[in-house]
């Protein structure tokens, strides 16, 4: 069994044993003319046009860090708000958890995605604790094809 690398306490987004070829950046540190920047702009436009109105997005991450090398090369990715993302509370579709303290480290899957070049740019809505029921205080995610219906969880 391979143990995932631990995360640096100095920078919760960067693994201590990051690949030597990888250079970690945020969009504010890179040229806004690159394809990664365009992908992120396109994803944000779609997030604002569809994601927010359909209650599909819990949190937008302003300037997501990512490694410039990797097979995902700047691909914007939203993850369910039940996975630890350093600097953000793990909401679990529950208002008390959403108001909780931020995670100090990324979950191993987030570390792997970032190392692959992904930009984790949003936390997506889910049913409370992914258990099949909506919390009464949280707006339910709507179906993009028929907004009068629920998205059905995931």
């Amino acid at each position: 069994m391979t143990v995932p690398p631990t995360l640096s306490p100095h920078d919760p987004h960067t693994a201590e044993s990051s690949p030597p070829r990888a250079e970690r950046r945020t969009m504010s540190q890179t040229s806004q003319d690159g394809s990664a920047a365009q992908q992120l702009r396109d994803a944000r436009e779609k997030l604002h046009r569809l994601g927010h109105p359909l209650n599909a997005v819990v949190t937008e991450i302003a300037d997501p860090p990512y490694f410039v090398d990797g097979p995902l090369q700047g691909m914007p990715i939203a993850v369910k708000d039940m996975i630890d993302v350093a600097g953000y509370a793990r909401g679990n579709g529950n208002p008390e958890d959403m108001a909780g303290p931020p995670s100090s480290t990324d979950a191993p899957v987030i570390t792997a995605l970032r190392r692959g070049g992904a930009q984790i740019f949003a936390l997506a809505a889910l049913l409370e604790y992914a258990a099949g029921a909506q919390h009464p205080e949280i707006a339910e995610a709507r179906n993009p094809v028929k907004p009068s219906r629920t998205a059905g969880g995931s």
Side-chain angles (χ1 to χ4, degrees):
M1 171 189 267
T2 304
V3 177
T6 58
L7 298 173
S8 168
H10 306 291
D11 183 350
H13 299 292
T14 305
E16 290 174 350
S17 59
S18 59
R21 65 175 171 68
E23 178 184 347
R24 184 183 161 275
R25 294 188 181 179
T26 64
M27 290 312 300
S28 63
Q29 296 169 321
T30 60
S31 167
Q32 291 298 312
D33 297 323
S35 64
Q38 185 60 51
Q39 288 181 60
L40 185 60
R41 282 192 298 269
D42 293 347
R44 286 196 193 288
E45 184 277 325
K46 189 178 253 184
L47 178 138
H48 290 280
R49 184 171 41 87
L50 299 172
H52 286 302
L54 293 170
N55 301 320
V57 178
V58 175
T59 303
E60 186 174 350
I61 298 173
D63 196 17
Y66 69 102
F67 287 101
V68 294
D69 288 336
L72 301 175
Q73 296 185 357
M75 180 183 294
I77 295 179
V79 298
K80 289 289 188 180
D81 191 25
M82 61 187 287
I83 301 171
D84 283 336
V85 176
Y88 298 88
R90 182 176 5 124
N92 297 313
N94 177 280
E96 288 181 27
D97 290 357
M98 289 175 171
S103 299
S104 60
T105 59
D106 283 330
V109 68
I110 300 299
T111 299
L113 285 166
R114 290 190 203 276
R115 282 184 168 183
Q119 299 182 76
I120 309 301
F121 83 108
L123 304 179
L126 68 147
L127 296 174
E128 188 174 28
Y129 299 111
Q134 189 69 31
H135 190 283
E137 296 176 27
I138 304 291
E140 190 167 20
R142 308 312 302 166
N143 184 312
V145 175
K146 192 163 188 174
S148 64
R149 295 186 176 195
T150 179
S154 293

